[in-house]
Amino acid sequence: MEELTTDILVIGSGLAGILSALEAERSGLHVLVLGKFAIGMGTNTSLASTFTAVNPRFSKQDHVRVTLETGRGLNQRSLVTTLAENGFEAIETLRRYGVPLVETGRGYVLDRPETISQLAGVLFLRILRERLEGGSARILPGLTIFDLIVEDGKIRGAFGFHRDGRPYLIRSKAVILATGGAGAIYRRNDNQRSILGDGYVLALKAGLPLYDLEFVQCYPFVLAEPRLSTFILYPPYSNEARLLNEQGEGLLEASGVQGNMNQVILNQRDRLSLFLYEASQKSDIFFDLTRVPDGDWERYPLNVLKKSKFPFRERPFLILPAVHFFMGGVEIDVEGKTAVPGLFAAGEVAWGVHGANRHGGNALTECAVFGMAAGRSAAEHVRSTGEAQIPSDLSPETLRQKWERKANRYLKKRRGAFDHPQDLLKDLKHLAWKYIGPVREEGPLKEGLELLASLETRVERIYPATVGDLFRKKDLENVSLLIKAILKGSLLRTESRGAFCRKDFRNQDDQNWLKNTCYRLKKMEIEITHRPASPSP
Ligand SMILES: Cc1cc2nc3c(=O)[nH]c(=O)nc-3n(C[C@H](O)[C@H](O)[C@H](O)COP(=O)(O)OP(=O)(O)OC[C@H]3O[C@@H](n4cnc5c(N)ncnc54)[C@H](O)[C@@H]3O)c2cc1C
């Protein structure tokens, strides 16, 4: 087993991870950053583009107001205020790191030649990666964390496997969880394939509760043509773009949402996604770009579509909503601290900013504001606690032996794997989309739980025959646990709110459900309680 020691371990190399590492290394402490792939690769950050933050036309009060309105009463108010207060400072820091951000409607976008078709996220991650590589932080790509090490109630490090199969024990005085969300647990999603909610399960297994996992945001405009990937149609949308049903009738007008596509996509994704999803049960839904002037196709974002062989310019094409973002996650305070001393979290893995639905552009700002805060707090934590708190019975040798035994358990080979892990993952993703997709209902939710139980039995029988299976088995276990949590949480919430829709309880019920849902793992079972949401002003 490989053993490493550091002061601060950052798990994840999307925007939250990179910025927390850059901030932490300013303290002069040893920082280690790792991710499943190379820095920035396989991250949802690489797909993103817009930051919502204060600018001369969008005040702090505006930012707080639109975030709370979109979140429908379930946001953590202190986090929303921090987001709005520190958003511009985060933009300034990004600019200092060399990311050229310019003002746009309610925030900032990358200043780039319009004719370049590369995604904005890829471009700004490249700048940040170079910055990180030029600094003092150690970078370890290709390592997947399987467990956080918590001893005596405090974080001690993490355990994982390199993609070549070598187990790693990493001792660290502070750990920052920046593992992103879980959109790819669904069959229809626009996330990177490896974004499977690892961080949520790491936190649950470390004894932390998760909040509001049942709130999952869909993006309304995602390709649904059979031979194309589920690629998101990026804003801004041309005034000539239209949403049509099979009869060629305009759907935006019929949806009841207020405003044009570019306004709606910021704060009414929930309503539009729901409308389109339900409309798609009766008729195919098409996006029509045939009237868009030629010049627009040379510019971002349409020049991204232009690279495809598909005739986007010549005929309307099929779209359908797809899972985009997880509002739920790990509870943090305004400094990114979790309830486990020494463990911090930032980015999509964290909960609280968005409430029941996310305002567009707030995820990147959240990564920036709370990523930097987590980096600073982790450094302060290490400085203030030092080595003094390591319990005497936790000698390096004891810890090594313990995790060597654990590594052997993960690697145990046995007969009995009748299923191919990839087929099982597909089955789980289908189940997620069908039963905990955009619309949920008591009968199907119960049916989903029954079906999941039989899939869980099949997952249990999988033993890793290859290094690849080792990772797939973990993915299967994580995905089934998260699906179970969302099924159970959805069954209990007998209302509709934001991105959460119950077909059998269509209305928002503030009298009974102005509450956050708390998920805990007890003896490998999900336990759910509720607590009142943070009060309105
Ligand atoms: C198509 C698309 C477009 C979007 N556009 C926008 C936008 O314009 N504006 C906006 O605000 N938001 C947008 N979002 C949302 C936003 O991109 C994400 O919420 C945000 O980038 C998440 O960043 P993160 O750093 O938390 O995680 P990610 O960027 O997803 O990074 C997660 C990291 O964690 C690592 N990791 C995960 N599990 C493990 C493990 N077990 N061990 C080791 N490493 C692990 C991964 O390898 C990766 O490095 C978009 C999302 C999508 C899908």
Side-chain angles (χ1 to χ4, degrees):
M1 186 163 65
E2 305 289 331
E3 289 183 61
L4 298 173
T5 302
T6 187
D7 292 316
I8 299 168
L9 168 64
V10 179
I11 308 173
S13 68
L15 187 64
I18 295 180
L19 289 181
S20 60
L22 286 170
E23 193 64 32
E25 73 172 15
R26 279 154 44 96
S27 63
L29 293 163
H30 291 119
V31 177
L32 172 64
V33 194
L34 56 83
K36 291 182 179 179
F37 310 104
I39 293 291
M41 302 293 283
T43 65
N44 273 357
T45 302
S46 64
L47 304 171
S49 54
T50 312
F51 294 76
T52 290
V54 169
N55 70 25
R57 284 163 295 145
F58 185 64
S59 70
K60 196 172 78 187
Q61 291 73 17
D62 291 336
H63 196 179
V64 170
R65 180 179 49 76
V66 298
T67 304
L68 293 178
E69 274 171 13
T70 313
R72 311 258 161 70
L74 294 194
N75 322 62
Q76 290 293 95
R77 296 187 58 85
S78 56
L79 298 184
V80 175
T81 313
T82 304
L83 181 85
E85 277 173 355
N86 299 349
F88 179 68
E89 192 190 317
I91 298 292
E92 286 287 76
T93 306
L94 281 163
R95 284 172 167 163
R96 271 202 305 282
Y97 287 149
V99 179
L101 293 170
V102 287
E103 278 167 40
T104 177
R106 291 180 173 180
Y108 299 83
V109 287
L110 196 69
D111 187 14
R112 50 184 272 153
E114 280 187 318
T115 47
I116 292 185
S117 61
Q118 258 170 319
L119 300 180
V122 172
L123 296 172
F124 69 69
L125 276 174
R126 191 178 298 157
I127 298 169
L128 293 173
R129 189 193 67 213
E130 281 165 14
R131 183 90 195 187
L132 194 64
E133 286 167 350
S136 62
R138 180 170 177 192
I139 296 167
L140 185 54
L143 201 110
T144 299
I145 295 301
F146 279 46
D147 290 280
L148 296 173
I149 302 177
V150 179
E151 296 282 347
D152 202 25
K154 300 185 186 76
I155 198 79
R156 302 295 176 198
F159 169 83
F161 285 92
H162 192 267
R163 63 172 162 247
D164 62 14
R166 267 177 304 156
Y168 269 75
L169 170 63
I170 304 168
R171 297 165 213 273
S172 185
K173 295 169 195 157
V175 173
I176 300 173
L177 201 54
T179 43
I185 72 169
Y186 284 88
R187 181 176 70 78
R188 266 197 72 73
N189 75 82
D190 63 4
N191 285 209
Q192 295 279 11
R193 206 182 313 160
S194 59
I195 299 297
L196 290 168
D198 290 24
Y200 300 135
V201 179
L202 289 172
L204 278 174
K205 288 202 295 186
L208 281 173
L210 299 178
Y211 286 88
D212 290 353
L213 271 190
E214 71 271 30
F215 289 93
V216 178
Q217 184 182 64
C218 284
Y219 199 88
F221 313 136
V222 181
L223 291 180
E225 285 287 340
R227 273 168 297 282
L228 298 181
S229 63
T230 46
F231 190 74
I232 178 178
L233 298 176
Y234 284 97
Y237 303 107
S238 158
N239 291 335
E240 315 301 328
R242 294 181 309 157
L243 263 179
L244 305 173
N245 64 13
E246 278 169 2
Q247 286 71 43
E249 294 157 349
L251 280 175
L252 196 63
E253 305 72 22
S255 69
V257 295
Q258 307 291 321
N260 63 34
M261 277 191 206
N262 290 308
Q263 294 159 338
V264 165
I265 207 61
L266 283 177
N267 58 358
Q268 294 172 73
R269 283 176 194 182
D270 52 344
R271 292 181 60 190
L272 189 57
S273 292
L274 181 61
F275 173 81
L276 292 181
Y277 178 77
E278 296 200 308
S280 74
Q281 314 288 311
K282 298 178 209 128
S283 154
D284 282 340
I285 310 283
F286 296 90
F287 208 82
D288 180 11
L289 296 171
T290 54
R291 297 181 181 180
V292 173
D294 286 352
D296 288 11
W297 288 93
E298 305 308 319
R299 293 195 290 272
Y300 183 84
L302 287 184
N303 57 5
V304 182
L305 292 185
K306 203 185 147 198
K307 287 195 294 189
S308 162
K309 288 196 181 113
F310 190 87
F312 288 110
R313 296 172 73 167
E314 284 141 43
R315 69 166 176 84
F317 49 90
L318 286 170
I319 59 141
L320 200 63
V323 166
H324 183 66
F325 183 86
F326 266 59
M327 267 73 74
V330 180
E331 185 174 27
I332 54 167
D333 70 6
V334 294
E335 294 172 336
K337 288 181 192 151
T338 73
V340 171
L343 179 62
F344 302 80
E348 194 168 333
V349 73
W351 160 76
V353 169
H354 312 289
N357 185 32
R358 175 174 69 89
H359 186 281
N362 265 349
L364 287 183
T365 313
E366 173 187 25
C367 288
V369 168
F370 294 99
M372 290 179 203
R376 267 193 306 274
S377 315
E380 274 162 28
H381 171 83
V382 173
R383 289 247 180 269
S384 62
T385 54
E387 289 285 356
Q389 295 194 3
I390 297 205
S392 54
D393 60 346
L394 197 71
S395 71
E397 185 54 21
T398 319
L399 199 67
R400 190 178 60 76
Q401 285 171 358
K402 180 174 172 178
W403 285 94
E404 242 164 20
R405 284 195 297 275
K406 185 98 179 179
N408 289 335
R409 278 205 296 279
Y410 276 122
L411 290 164
K412 192 157 72 181
K413 292 189 175 117
R414 249 197 253 160
R415 290 233 176 110
F418 303 111
D419 286 291
H420 194 285
Q422 266 154 338
D423 293 338
L424 255 180
L425 188 59
K426 239 186 235 169
D427 290 349
L428 284 166
K429 288 178 176 219
H430 271 278
L431 190 153
W433 180 247
K434 183 165 177 194
Y435 295 99
I436 45 171
V439 181
R440 304 169 194 176
E441 193 179 1
E442 180 176 337
L445 285 167
K446 287 183 172 163
E447 190 181 306
L449 276 167
E450 278 170 27
L451 287 173
L452 182 67
S454 66
L455 288 177
E456 279 175 326
T457 314
R458 287 163 60 194
V459 170
E460 271 169 33
R461 288 202 210 112
I462 301 262
Y463 285 92
T466 62
V467 170
D469 284 354
L470 173 72
F471 296 98
R472 288 184 205 111
K473 164 105 181 173
K474 171 197 65 68
D475 288 346
L476 289 170
E477 286 173 345
N478 287 0
V479 170
S480 38
L481 186 66
L482 289 175
I483 292 176
K484 190 195 277 185
I486 302 172
L487 281 162
K488 286 187 163 187
S490 304
L491 204 47
L492 292 173
R493 186 173 283 277
T494 49
E495 65 153 358
S496 293
R497 181 185 297 271
F500 179 84
C501 174
R502 279 282 301 255
K503 194 173 177 182
D504 39 357
F505 296 93
R506 280 281 176 178
N507 296 325
Q508 183 170 311
D509 177 0
D510 282 347
Q511 211 167 358
N512 296 302
W513 282 108
L514 213 41
K515 289 176 186 159
N516 299 114
T517 309
C518 172
Y519 298 78
R520 283 178 194 277
L521 194 60
K522 294 265 169 75
K523 295 189 182 140
M524 289 317 282
E525 266 308 314
I526 295 288
E527 272 188 18
I528 297 182
T529 52
H530 295 94
R531 73 175 194 201
S534 66
S536 305

